[in-house]
Amino acid sequence: MPHQITIRFFAHLKDLAGMESVSLPFEQDCPLKQLIAQLEETIPALKSRGGIQMAVNHAFVNDEAIIHPGDEIAFLPPFSGG
Amino acid sequence: MPHQITIRFFAHLKDLAGMESVSLPFEQDCPLKQLIAQLEETIPALKSRGGIQMAVNHAFVNDEAIIHPGDEIAFLPPFSGG
Amino acid sequence: MIQSADFSVEEEIAKMKAISSRMGGIVTFLGTARDFSKGHDVVKLTFEHYSKMAEQAMLKIRESALEQFSIIDVMMIHRIGEIGIGENIVLIVVGAEHRQDAFTACAWCIDELKKTVPIWKREETPDGQIWVEERP
Amino acid sequence: MIQSADFSVEEEIAKMKAISSRMGGIVTFLGTARDFSKGHDVVKLTFEHYSKMAEQAMLKIRESALEQFSIIDVMMIHRIGEIGIGENIVLIVVGAEHRQDAFTACAWCIDELKKTVPIWKREETPDGQIWVEERP
């Protein structure tokens, strides 16, 4: 787990990203928003995300959260259970 | 059925009246309150009734309702179903 | 429906589901016999009813619920006779396209049943029998 | 609990009844798969979830409901995977001494589940698949 992070996509974001999850090399702590900006360059479709919540290690966070090596980051579209 | 009426008691009124129902000879229309007054003389315990609703032929009525021969009159204590 | 026999919640829900494939939410109220009521123990319950009037009152609740709420159907069963602690007393099943309507209608039906259906409960307690008259 | 297998409403209610003989009212919400949604036909549903987070969110709803309502217990099941029309999706069972608390808590739990549990529904329609994102 160290020196990399895992990114998970759900529902239509999985289709947009073309993958369910990806592990990326990751050495140095950085704010989530910086990571998202990088991802949007690789996967432009993510830019169109609306109402997406972000979670790090299964807890909701905002863009300012600091990401550490080993973290699991999730892109969560609006829920539709029940 | 003609020339008589049936009176029915429920729940604790049945215990007070000492009976579930009674049929009485009845020739002439009269207001329900008159019939009740007569019954209270025979069964004094009925006087203590509180919150009792009256029904004639399965429909709620008030004391002014006119009773006809053949009617079924019911004394209904507050309900406690459910 | 008023009956002395017990009922199956699963079967009643299955009947409700069979009515329409538009049904998205089913809200059920099941009333069961408690062993304790207003400060005293209860050993057993007995329900009595004014048969014809009670059946009519139940039908009226159903019609009125169908009229005033956006629901697909509503089904009601009340048991009479002797009922042991923990046993089923009353079941109300409401099916609707959307859940809020089902919740509102189900709560309304049980309130209305308690207010308007001539059914009476007798509690058997360690100190004797009590006819219950308050509306809970 | 989140599972792909179906559940039995009767069994879940029986478990709830077994918890306390003080229980007087059990309110149940059962969500089922409709064949029609927002103007289009639906042939089948598929639910996906973020496993660990969804389980945590369900536990939190239960704890929060026990804290804020006068209820005895609450039980929740949500199915995932493929679900055919008319099949069960979600079940919430709330047991309480008094019915009003059970109704309020049950309605709150399903609202909260829809808002806070990371589960997503995909509808299969005659024109293709749609990930549903609105909160109904």
Side-chain angles (χ1 to χ4, degrees):
Chain A
M1 281 298 208
H3 309 303
Q4 64 173 27
I5 53 172
T6 303
I7 298 164
R8 302 185 60 170
F9 302 101
F10 291 91
H12 84 277
L13 289 181
K14 199 168 61 177
D15 300 339
L16 282 184
M19 62 182 111
E20 200 174 302
S21 76
V22 60
S23 291
L24 301 177
F26 193 83
E27 297 286 341
Q28 182 119 29
D29 292 0
C30 85
L32 178 57
K33 60 185 171 188
Q34 188 180 320
L35 178 74
I36 293 174
Q38 282 171 24
L39 277 170
E40 285 176 349
E41 280 182 37
T42 328
I43 310 168
L46 284 182
K47 282 184 194 162
S48 65
R49 67 188 206 285
I52 304 292
Q53 294 182 84
M54 300 297 304
V56 174
N57 300 330
H58 309 100
F60 294 111
V61 295
N62 65 31
D63 278 10
E64 306 296 334
I66 302 300
I67 305 300
H68 310 277
D71 282 351
E72 175 172 309
I73 293 111
F75 283 74
L76 311 171
F79 310 147
S80 50
Chain B
M1 281 297 205
H3 309 303
Q4 66 173 25
I5 54 172
T6 302
I7 299 164
R8 301 187 62 171
F9 302 101
F10 291 92
H12 85 277
L13 290 181
K14 198 169 61 177
D15 300 339
L16 283 183
M19 61 182 113
E20 202 172 302
S21 76
V22 59
S23 291
L24 300 177
F26 191 85
E27 297 287 341
Q28 182 119 27
D29 293 1
C30 85
L32 177 57
K33 59 185 171 188
Q34 186 180 320
L35 177 75
I36 293 174
Q38 283 169 24
L39 277 170
E40 283 175 350
E41 281 181 37
T42 328
I43 311 167
L46 283 182
K47 281 183 194 163
S48 65
R49 66 188 209 284
I52 305 292
Q53 293 183 84
M54 300 298 305
V56 173
N57 300 330
H58 310 101
F60 294 111
V61 296
N62 65 30
D63 280 9
E64 307 296 332
I66 302 300
I67 306 301
H68 310 276
D71 282 352
E72 176 171 308
I73 293 111
F75 283 75
L76 310 172
F79 310 146
S80 51
Chain C
M1 205 170 11
I2 299 178
Q3 60 187 47
S4 55
D6 196 9
F7 46 77
S8 154
V9 180
E10 194 99 49
E11 273 173 36
E12 298 306 324
I13 287 180
K15 283 183 215 165
M16 180 59 69
K17 280 166 87 171
I19 289 171
S20 168
S21 52
R22 292 271 163 112
M23 209 168 282
I26 296 176
V27 172
T28 300
F29 173 76
L30 174 66
T32 57
R34 300 165 60 207
D35 67 356
F36 190 81
S37 168
K38 297 182 180 39
H40 58 263
D41 288 335
V42 176
V43 175
K44 198 176 70 182
L45 300 176
T46 305
F47 285 90
E48 164 176 304
H49 73 313
Y50 186 10
S51 166
K52 190 166 166 189
M53 211 174 164
E55 295 282 3
Q56 282 173 355
M58 299 264 280
L59 285 178
K60 197 175 152 201
I61 294 172
R62 180 172 179 278
E63 277 165 23
S64 179
L66 288 172
E67 221 174 81
Q68 67 184 295
F69 303 108
S70 286
I71 57 176
I72 296 173
D73 210 346
V74 51
M75 191 279 313
M76 296 189 286
I77 303 178
H78 199 296
R79 290 179 66 200
I80 47 152
E82 285 196 5
I83 293 187
I85 300 307
E87 281 187 44
N88 298 331
I89 299 170
V90 59
L91 177 69
I92 300 187
V93 180
V94 179
E97 286 197 49
H98 302 291
R99 70 185 185 284
Q100 292 87 348
D101 301 305
F103 274 112
T104 312
C106 190
W108 182 84
C109 284
I110 180 63
D111 285 354
E112 204 64 10
L113 185 150
K114 285 174 180 269
K115 272 188 279 189
T116 67
V117 181
I119 296 180
W120 297 272
K121 172 164 68 178
R122 194 178 65 198
E123 293 174 346
E124 194 170 313
T125 79
D127 303 318
Q129 299 181 334
I130 307 168
W131 280 105
V132 180
E133 298 208 342
E134 303 105 309
R135 295 170 191 163
Chain D
M1 204 167 12
I2 299 177
Q3 61 188 47
S4 55
D6 196 8
F7 46 78
S8 152
V9 180
E10 194 98 48
E11 274 173 35
E12 299 306 325
I13 286 181
K15 284 183 213 164
M16 180 58 70
K17 280 165 88 171
I19 288 171
S20 168
S21 51
R22 293 272 162 109
M23 210 168 279
I26 296 175
V27 172
T28 301
F29 174 76
L30 174 67
T32 57
R34 300 165 62 207
D35 67 356
F36 190 81
S37 169
K38 297 182 180 38
H40 58 263
D41 288 334
V42 177
V43 175
K44 198 176 68 179
L45 300 176
T46 306
F47 285 90
E48 163 176 305
H49 73 313
Y50 186 10
S51 167
K52 191 168 167 189
M53 212 176 164
E55 294 282 3
Q56 282 173 355
M58 299 264 279
L59 285 178
K60 198 174 152 202
I61 294 171
R62 180 172 177 277
E63 278 165 22
S64 179
L66 288 172
E67 223 174 80
Q68 66 185 294
F69 304 108
S70 285
I71 56 176
I72 295 173
D73 210 346
V74 52
M75 192 280 312
M76 295 189 287
I77 303 177
H78 199 296
R79 291 179 65 199
I80 47 153
E82 285 196 6
I83 294 186
I85 299 310
E87 281 187 44
N88 297 331
I89 298 170
V90 59
L91 177 69
I92 299 187
V93 180
V94 178
E97 289 198 46
H98 302 291
R99 69 185 185 284
Q100 292 85 350
D101 302 306
F103 273 112
T104 312
C106 190
W108 182 84
C109 284
I110 179 65
D111 284 354
E112 204 64 10
L113 185 151
K114 285 174 180 269
K115 272 188 280 189
T116 67
V117 181
I119 297 180
W120 298 270
K121 171 165 68 178
R122 194 180 63 200
E123 293 174 346
E124 194 170 315
T125 78
D127 303 318
Q129 299 181 334
I130 307 169
W131 281 105
V132 181
E133 298 207 342
E134 303 106 309
R135 297 170 190 162

